[in-house]
Amino acid sequence: MGADRSGPVRILVVDDDPGDVLMIEEALEDSDVEKVIDVVGDGQEAMEFLRQEGRHTEAQRPDVILLDLNMPRMDGRQVLSAVKSDDDLRTIPIVVLTTSNADTDIVGSYTLQANAYVTKPIDLDDFNDVVRRIDEFFGRVVVLPKRS
């Protein structure tokens, strides 16, 4: 089924809330999909990571990005726009994982070519379930582009 790839799925989590990051990491670690998780705290750092700049010169290209929308310095919308307009990065699937369920954010994210939009549940069990489903989908079901 799905992803026939060598090595673990690389996931980049872009979120400025340490509590949410911890919950995402724990939910991802609960699954049996082999993965490597990298975390950055805002959009500017995400772009440095993706472009291997600054302290991220050794960063490896992620297979999927979990992106929060509301962050300081450079928000998720700006990251989405920058990644999807970059010829080298645009094929990386981006899942917007955010607290917002505003129509403007949903439509805006898809307009900027998000691959999926998921609202963070308030309930911890639901939150874990949602993250595990994303992990299962991208780790087992979806065929991801080869890393260049």
Side-chain angles (χ1 to χ4, degrees), residues 14-88:
V14 185
D15 198 317
D16 67 318
D17 184 322
D20 283 357
V21 168
L22 185 61
M23 289 193 304
I24 291 167
E25 287 179 314
E26 287 176 354
L28 288 171
E29 287 163 7
D30 276 350
S31 88
D32 61 355
V33 174
E34 188 184 353
K35 72 189 69 64
V36 174
I37 304 165
D38 292 300
V39 178
V40 294
D42 64 49
Q44 189 170 317
E45 191 179 358
M47 294 313 299
E48 289 171 5
F49 184 97
L50 292 168
R51 293 177 175 147
Q52 297 178 310
E53 298 170 347
R55 65 187 187 91
H56 297 289
T57 54
E58 300 297 312
Q60 293 195 39
R61 181 185 178 94
D63 295 305
V64 65
I65 300 170
L66 299 184
L67 179 67
D68 188 27
L69 284 185
N70 301 309
M71 296 178 293
R73 297 205 301 168
M74 182 180 197
D75 71 16
R77 296 160 198 83
Q78 293 168 299
V79 172
L80 198 48
S81 178
V83 170
K84 294 302 183 178
S85 62
D86 184 308
D87 288 339
D88 293 330

Side-chain angles (χ1 to χ4, degrees), residues 96-102 106 117-122 127 130:
V96 173
L97 182 61
T98 188
T99 52
S100 172
N101 61 2
I106 296 166
Y117 189 102
V118 179
T119 304
K120 292 178 185 172
I122 304 299
F127 189 98
V130 161

